[in-house]
Amino acid sequence: MSVYRSALLRFADDGRALYDEDGLLAIGPDAQGRQRVLAAGSWQALGSQYADQPVTHLPGRILAPGFVDMHIHFPQTDVIGSPADGLLPWLENYTFPHEKRFAAPDYSAQVAQFFIAELLRNGVTTALAFSTSHPASVNALFTEAQRQNLRLITGKVLQDRHSPDGVRDDTEQSLIDTEALIQRWHGVDRLGYAITPRFAPTSTPAQLRGAGELAARYPDVWIQSHVAENLDEIRWARELFPRSRSYLGVYDDFGLMRERAVYAHCIHFDDDDRALMRDTGAVAAVSPTSNLFLGSGFFDYASADRVGFRYGLASDVGGGTSFSPFHTMMAAYYVGREGQTKPGLSLSPQQLWWQHTAGAARALGLAGVVGNLQPGCEADFLVLNPEATPLLARKTRQAQSLDELLFALIVLGDDRVVEQTVIAQQGANQRAT
């Protein structure tokens, strides 16, 4: 058992932040040997129960849940920051040429090692990630995640048309490979598989039909893809699938809308699309830095809440511009405030943080497992330094409320705030200094 005394951040089921300036976090093994939260709350209320235990005291620090990234592209680690006129030219000129390299197991393994180290350095302890169309990329990422004991979900990209040589796959073989990877990796340690059509225009109806059949055969695996990111993409999808009600409706027509289905972006929706998300249990991965970078549009938070479908935050590296959840939360605040093309609103600091931790975990079907520090959760947590930089220290010392403290961290924070990332069963991953 390990007992920590520090400021403590966690979340109630309704998304409210719970904060103890003098908090206690106790972790220990469950019956299977996995480290879980045993107790979390104020030192005054809980300290006497652990009087016989050694205590790690972390004054001036905040213990917080590890961040959950709902959509990120592992093979685009080196594509981040590439200039482009928009999504489709960016894919053609940068993404597809680079992803060809992941046919090589050694290259995939080298990038996987860097990618996961970068997640941990930024405090991301759970991620839903795209690999490439090459099984070697999936095996490399799962192998490294297993070595680091990271909770990670990924899958082989399905793209059997409108893709260049080197990333385009064969319809039948792609489905055979997908099922073999599910059987090899899904549910092993902290790993999960996601059936992964890149996006509807790069898959034939036969491939999408096969993906839907796999989704029905393996109902506990995830599904991930992209939808309604920009207007050119939507027009293309409608030309290719004229019988579907909408771009989102394409996925529904092929059996790819259900619980544990995660669709990135979901920007250009109508209320019928939003209702389809709600009624099927599919969720949105909101990717604000990517949407701003590529000029795709703005996620409509007000309409999503009005209709009632779930969502969480995502970096979307490498269209996204940072691995840092602080940068993602700040961009989400900008996107929420935009009120010229949609209703604008000010997302509270607590709501922004929720979207990248417990809310994202709930959207993934992992509520009570990750993204929080309530009893029973897996013990993935961060040691945050609210005085990591001179300006941040100056600002946080003046905070008069929890919202002021959290918002200062969102606006001024980056990887330097993450002093330590602790993964269940593994101990501490110290950030590079």
Side-chain angles (χ1 to χ4, degrees), residues 388-425:
T389 69
L391 179 58
L392 181 62
R394 185 178 179 90
K395 183 65 177 177
T396 55
R397 287 172 193 156
Q398 300 177 54
Q400 298 297 307
S401 67
L402 177 59
D403 276 346
E404 289 185 5
L405 173 63
L406 294 179
F407 201 56
L409 287 164
I410 290 169
V411 175
L412 300 174
D414 56 28
D415 59 283
R416 291 171 290 182
V417 171
V418 182
E419 196 165 85
Q420 222 175 10
T421 300
V422 180
I423 295 294
Q425 273 188 314

Side-chain angles (χ1 to χ4, degrees), residues 68-247:
V68 177
D69 192 330
M70 287 186 62
H71 178 70
I72 185 169
H73 291 258
F74 140 63
Q76 294 177 17
T77 300
D78 295 319
V79 178
I80 191 170
S82 300
D85 293 334
L87 171 64
L88 299 181
W90 181 79
L91 289 171
E92 180 181 354
N93 295 327
Y94 293 104
T95 304
F96 289 155
H98 189 72
E99 289 192 3
K100 293 178 183 179
R101 303 177 68 181
F102 287 80
D106 289 348
Y107 184 76
S108 293
Q110 179 262 315
V111 178
Q113 184 175 2
F114 181 90
F115 173 78
I116 288 181
E118 195 70 5
L119 290 179
L120 293 171
R121 195 170 66 83
N122 283 279
V124 176
T125 56
T126 296
L128 173 61
F130 268 55
S131 293
T132 70
S133 56
H134 314 99
S137 70
V138 180
N139 290 326
L141 187 56
F142 272 139
T143 297
E144 181 63 16
Q146 186 179 39
R147 188 179 75 84
Q148 297 277 13
N149 202 41
L150 191 75
R151 182 168 280 282
L152 182 124
I153 307 161
T154 192
K156 176 198 134 40
V157 168
L158 302 171
Q159 52 181 117
D160 64 348
R161 67 170 172 175
H162 300 141
S163 305
D165 292 344
V167 296
R168 187 179 61 254
D169 56 15
D170 172 78
T171 306
E172 183 178 0
Q173 189 61 47
S174 72
L175 300 171
I176 293 170
D177 289 342
T178 295
E179 186 162 28
L181 290 164
I182 291 171
Q183 293 174 351
R184 177 178 178 183
W185 290 110
H186 185 67
V188 175
D189 295 332
R190 305 182 77 201
L191 308 176
Y193 196 86
I195 298 167
T196 308
R198 182 173 214 111
F199 63 134
T202 52
S203 285
T204 61
Q207 189 174 59
L208 292 174
R209 189 175 304 109
E213 291 168 355
L214 286 170
R217 195 176 308 147
Y218 298 96
D220 62 334
V221 307
W222 282 264
I223 300 164
Q224 61 175 343
S225 193
H226 305 83
V227 71
E229 183 174 359
N230 73 30
L231 298 177
D232 288 342
E233 170 206 12
I234 292 169
R235 281 191 288 268
W236 191 22
R238 295 303 303 273
E239 290 170 2
L240 293 169
F241 299 96
R243 294 184 179 179
S244 295
R245 191 203 72 82
S246 66
Y247 184 179

Side-chain angles (χ1 to χ4, degrees), residues 11-12 15 65-66 68 353-363 366-368 370-372:
F11 293 91
V68 177
W353 212 288
W354 158 264
Q355 286 182 48
H356 228 335
T357 55
R362 184 182 70 169
L366 294 173
V370 294
N372 211 342

